[in-house]
Amino acid sequence: MKYPKYLNLVGKELTDRVEEAFSLLDGCRLCPRKCGVNRLKGELGYCDSGKDAIVSSYNPHFGEEPPISGHSGSGTIFFTNCDLSCVYCQNYPISQLHNGRTVSSDELADMMISLEEKGCHNINFVTPTHMVPQILEGLSAAVEKGLMLPLVYNSGGYDSVEALKLLDGVFDIYMPDSRYGRNEEASKYSDAPDYVEVNRAALKEMRSQVGDLVIEDGVAVGGLLIRHLVLPNGLSNSYEVLAFIAEHLSKNTYISLMDQYFPCYNADSYPELGRRITTKEYEDALDAMWKLGLHRGWVQDHLI
């Protein structure tokens, strides 16, 4: 088995994955919304994206979890648009206001190579859910240019199992969010009334592909890392999120328990979201982690 995983797929199998992924854009069913538009002909669905990749920025990033950023940075590529509509999104100029530019598969490949040449530990695709075919096509071109870095799938956790199966043996690291423990809040604040079921199925598929996170010399080389953002007033239902992970995935799962919420974008339209979380709210979520036996991860930048 070669490392990174995608090196085992070079040739016809990777080409077949690209073709199969693009076929999902014809009557689009790439994400769980299954809009049904023909993105291959430029029709725009919920994500406001057509056939081509749209990138906001790419650069070495040192603010990810410690084993993702390592000492040389994570090579982030931020895709424009999103399949979620979080009213509090901190990246709303990218996800909701469409800031970015269309790039070809060769340009996407060149971004990957540039990040590799800068010494990054990995290629970290941020908000990749609606760009899976474009990622695979760009990867195919990047491999021909000599790419040798592991790939990180950094999503909001609203991913379809059908699309994720096309990434089996491609991505070494999955880093999804698990945002909500109840659909009521997911529907109200992210326009995703089936988020809980979709997210849990996606987490199971991701873990089945890569297992628990493996860290070597302080750098992640493979596995699953789940992020959970604690919202004010218990709106993320942290206990339910963490209980699912402990009971149905693994108590060895690495969790990044985030306290960085602040009112952003349209959050001020919702009084219950109009403030930062309190120390007690964060400590309650942390206590839940301990009680459920989840012992691996980060309290923001600190290893548990």
Side-chain angles (χ1 to χ4, degrees):
M1 174 68 71
K2 293 180 181 179
Y3 172 81
K5 286 184 175 183
Y6 56 77
L7 294 179
N8 298 283
L9 300 177
V10 175
K12 187 176 186 303
E13 186 169 359
L14 185 55
T15 300
D16 289 345
R17 296 279 187 104
V18 173
E19 293 178 357
E20 188 174 354
F22 271 102
S23 74
L24 297 181
L25 300 184
D26 180 3
C28 192
R29 61 184 190 278
L30 185 61
C31 90
R33 296 187 186 277
K34 296 181 171 60
C35 291
V37 302
N38 191 338
R39 288 176 58 185
L40 296 177
K41 293 185 177 180
E43 295 178 5
L44 306 181
Y46 188 93
C47 67
D48 279 320
S49 304
K51 180 181 179 180
D52 298 320
I54 312 171
V55 172
S56 172
S57 65
Y58 68 101
N59 52 271
H61 186 30
F62 295 87
E64 302 283 36
E65 285 70 12
I68 303 298
S69 289
H71 52 79
S72 298
S74 178
T76 51
I77 299 177
F78 283 81
F79 288 110
T80 299
N81 300 330
C82 187
D83 68 332
L84 290 171
S85 295
C86 301
V87 299
Y88 51 83
C89 181
Q90 297 175 8
N91 289 328
Y92 69 91
I94 302 170
S95 66
Q96 309 299 323
L97 303 184
H98 319 303
N99 290 345
R101 66 181 181 89
T102 300
V103 300
S104 67
S105 59
D106 272 343
E107 288 176 296
L108 188 57
D110 287 341
M111 292 176 186
M112 299 183 213
I113 296 299
S114 173
L115 292 166
E116 182 175 45
E117 291 174 346
K118 290 177 180 177
C120 294
H121 296 291
N122 49 61
I123 303 299
N124 182 350
F125 296 105
V126 184
T127 319
T129 303
H130 58 305
M131 294 295 176
V132 166
Q134 295 84 350
I135 289 171
L136 289 173
E137 186 175 49
L139 174 63
S140 182
V143 170
E144 293 182 3
K145 297 172 187 280
L147 185 71
M148 293 286 290
L149 294 182
L151 306 183
V152 180
Y153 189 91
N154 182 349
S155 81
Y158 194 59
D159 299 279
S160 77
V161 171
E162 182 179 12
L164 290 173
K165 285 184 179 297
L166 292 176
L167 303 178
D168 192 3
V170 175
F171 277 83
D172 295 274
I173 300 166
Y174 282 104
M175 191 165 63
D177 290 330
S178 189
R179 290 179 179 264
Y180 302 102
R182 296 199 315 171
N183 282 328
E184 180 180 352
E185 287 78 15
S187 178
K188 184 174 182 180
Y189 305 123
S190 295
D191 193 25
D194 57 352
Y195 182 92
V196 173
E197 293 80 10
V198 167
N199 180 247
R200 292 179 177 183
L203 295 181
K204 286 182 176 180
E205 175 63 25
M206 291 174 182
R207 187 176 186 280
S208 74
Q209 292 183 20
V210 299
D212 293 322
L213 192 69
V214 176
I215 301 171
E216 296 179 358
D217 298 323
V219 177
V221 297
L224 174 67
L225 188 166
I226 300 175
R227 288 170 160 172
H228 178 65
L229 178 66
V230 180
L231 296 176
N233 294 301
L235 296 174
S236 49
N237 290 281
S238 298
Y239 185 89
E240 287 83 354
V241 170
L242 297 168
F244 171 80
I245 295 169
E247 296 169 12
H248 298 280
L249 299 181
S250 167
K251 290 184 179 179
N252 291 322
T253 302
Y254 277 82
I255 307 293
S256 179
L257 192 68
M258 300 184 292
D259 70 354
Q260 64 214 44
Y261 174 81
F262 65 92
C264 195
Y265 191 38
N266 291 324
D268 285 341
S269 298
Y270 301 82
E272 64 273 26
L273 286 173
R275 62 166 174 81
R276 287 181 174 272
I277 66 170
T278 65
T279 298
K280 185 179 185 305
E281 286 171 332
Y282 188 70
E283 289 180 346
D284 285 346
L286 182 57
D287 286 345
M289 279 185 63
W290 290 120
K291 290 176 181 177
L292 290 163
L294 295 165
H295 57 95
R296 287 175 151 180
W298 294 269
V299 180
Q300 288 305 99
D301 294 329
H302 303 289
L303 182 64
I304 295 173

